[in-house]
């Protein structure tokens, strides 16, 4: 299968290439794509060097799937052009997520809604993905009413320049580009994306709106505070969820242990709980610190960690591609995928 990776020279683009290789996705031809200034550069895939091409050349090559990680404005401008050429686009930006005509997909939850007519498929926000993967089995059993989430998000979520800023500050250098309005090393910034008129940030409202769309339930009330911290390796979240129905903690743990894509680390006596260090480079969502909220009934607290570049972006996109291929929902030339 011909696969295009749009934004192949970026942090997430590089992770997509790595995940495609690790998961042994059947790539017959890789088409790395980037902006004009990166055309002609080389990227590595499965030990071979590939030359970055333009958007026009990528469309002309007619890949079956194009995985986009090139920013919202690029996606808005170019995803429809790929789709018009019969190419299925899986887009990592926020451009299409809340478009009512586009599916917002986490494979463990709602991949079964996809059809061959879905030519632009939105990949959710990284912090939303890990939360809904952990919530879905619990929502199915107990029905989530209200979610309060606070995030602790890695600088990798902002991109390479943010990682460079962190390490430049750590090394006492003043030569790195300033991505954040304040120092990030030895600091915490309660500010991710732009501030909106309601006092929340765009990142916080993404979690609110995307959760309802993915879960297919507008009645779930969600409130979020998203925070940038000086780590790499993954995002962490403290989640408090109130249910319609009562639960037993042992049943909650068992549900999570048996759910697809989740690893439970919940042994406080052994100091076992999810951390970015252990989630780094992994595709699963890690859940721990599972305990009852003792201030009100039917309410649970838990801690959730995932690698934001992998399950939060690249892996989720590749899993969508795998589902499309497995269920014959993409076109290879004139023939459906087998």
């Amino acid at each position: 299968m011909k696969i295009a990776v749009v934004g192949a020279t970026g942090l997430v683009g590089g992770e997509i290439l790595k995940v495609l290789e690790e998961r042994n996705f059947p790539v017959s031809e890789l088409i790395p794509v980037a902006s004009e200034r990166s055309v002609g550069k080389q990227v590595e895939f499965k030990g071979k060097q590939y030359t970055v091409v333009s958007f026009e050349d990528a469309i002309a090559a007619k890949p079956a799937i194009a995985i986009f990680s090139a920013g919202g404005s690029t996606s808005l401008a170019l995803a429809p052009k790929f789709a018009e050429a019969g190419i299925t686009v899986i887009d990592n930006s926020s451009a299409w997520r809340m478009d009512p005509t586009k599916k917002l997909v986490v494979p463990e939850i709602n991949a079964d809604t996809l059809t061959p007519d879905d030519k632009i498929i939105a990949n959710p926000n990284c912090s939303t993905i890990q939360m809904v993967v952990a919530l879905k089995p619990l929502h199915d059993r107990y029905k989530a009413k209200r979610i309060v989430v606070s995030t602790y998000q890695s600088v990798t979520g902002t991109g390479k320049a943010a990682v460079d800023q962190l390490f430049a500050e750590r090394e006492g250098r003043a030569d790195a580009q300033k991505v954040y309005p304040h120092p990030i090393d030895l600091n915490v910034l309660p500010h991710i994306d732009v501030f909106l008129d309601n006092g929340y940030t765009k990142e916080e409202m993404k979690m609110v709106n995307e959760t309802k769309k993915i879960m297919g339930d507008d009645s779930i009330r969600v409130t979020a505070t998203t925070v940038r911290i000086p780590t790499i390796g993954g995002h962490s979240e403290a989640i408090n969820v109130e249910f319609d129905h009562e639960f037993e903690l042992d049943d909650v743990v068992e549900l999570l242990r048996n759910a697809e894509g989740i690893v439970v680390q919940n042994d406080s006596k052994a100091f076992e709980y999810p951390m970015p260090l252990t989630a780094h480079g992994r595709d699963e969502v890690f859940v721990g610190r599972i305990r009852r909220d003792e201030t009100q009934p039917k309410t649970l607290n838990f801690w959730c960690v995932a690698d934001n570049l992998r399950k939060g972006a690249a892996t989720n996109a590749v899993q969508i591609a795998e589902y499309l291929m497995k269920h014959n929902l993409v076109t290879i030339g004139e023939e459906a995928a087998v």
Side-chain angles (χ1 to χ4, degrees), residues 145-293:
K145 285 175 61 177
R146 182 172 186 259
I147 300 160
V148 182
V149 55
S150 297
T151 73
Y152 307 75
Q153 295 182 223
S154 162
V155 293
T156 56
T158 313
K160 183 180 181 301
V163 178
D164 291 343
Q165 178 180 339
L166 169 62
F167 284 101
E169 289 172 357
R170 188 154 294 181
E171 294 164 13
R173 295 186 288 109
D175 57 343
Q177 174 190 350
K178 301 296 182 192
V179 177
Y180 301 119
H182 304 285
I184 186 62
D185 190 33
L186 299 178
N187 201 14
V188 167
L189 306 181
H191 167 201
I192 297 178
D193 213 321
V194 297
F195 283 102
L196 304 174
D197 290 343
N198 64 356
Y200 287 80
T201 64
K202 191 175 177 182
E203 181 85 355
E204 289 159 353
M205 294 313 298
K206 286 178 191 174
M207 295 194 74
V208 172
N209 297 321
E210 291 178 22
T211 297
K212 295 179 181 184
K213 183 172 179 179
I214 296 163
M215 304 284 268
D217 190 341
D218 285 337
S219 72
I220 303 173
R221 293 173 293 158
V222 185
T223 187
T225 302
T226 58
V227 181
R228 189 72 68 192
I229 64 171
T231 58
I232 58 174
H235 292 347
S236 306
E237 297 175 353
I239 298 168
N240 175 278
V241 55
E242 179 186 358
F243 297 108
D244 267 342
H245 305 293
E246 190 52 86
F247 58 84
E248 295 296 331
L249 278 180
D250 288 347
D251 294 337
V252 166
V253 172
E254 194 63 20
L255 275 173
L256 292 169
R257 283 196 197 282
N258 292 326
E260 182 185 356
I262 294 175
V263 173
V264 174
Q265 296 180 320
N266 191 51
D267 186 348
S268 57
K269 290 179 181 175
F271 306 114
E272 181 193 59
Y273 36 70
M275 298 179 293
L277 275 175
T278 47
H280 183 54
R282 298 282 297 272
D283 290 330
E284 303 91 344
V285 172
F286 294 80
V287 178
R289 297 295 320 280
I290 301 165
R291 62 210 189 276
R292 191 177 289 277
D293 180 342

Side-chain angles (χ1 to χ4, degrees), residues 15 26 44-45 47 73 81 92 102 132 156 220 300 326 331:
E15 207 66 32
E44 185 175 326
F45 179 68
S73 58
K81 295 182 179 179
N92 262 301
K102 305 294 184 288
V132 296
T156 56
I220 303 173
L300 183 75
K326 180 180 178 182
T331 302

Side-chain angles (χ1 to χ4, degrees), residues 13 51 62 72 82 106 117 119 137 201 233 310:
T51 302
K62 288 290 180 75
F82 278 74
V106 176
D117 295 329
K119 288 300 180 187
T201 64
R310 291 186 66 102

Side-chain angles (χ1 to χ4, degrees), residues 315-338:
T315 300
N316 200 76
V318 172
Q319 287 173 322
I320 294 171
E322 290 170 343
Y323 186 92
L324 294 171
M325 184 183 68
K326 180 180 178 182
H327 294 273
N328 304 326
L329 300 177
V330 288
T331 302
I332 307 173
E334 298 302 319
E335 299 296 328
V338 177

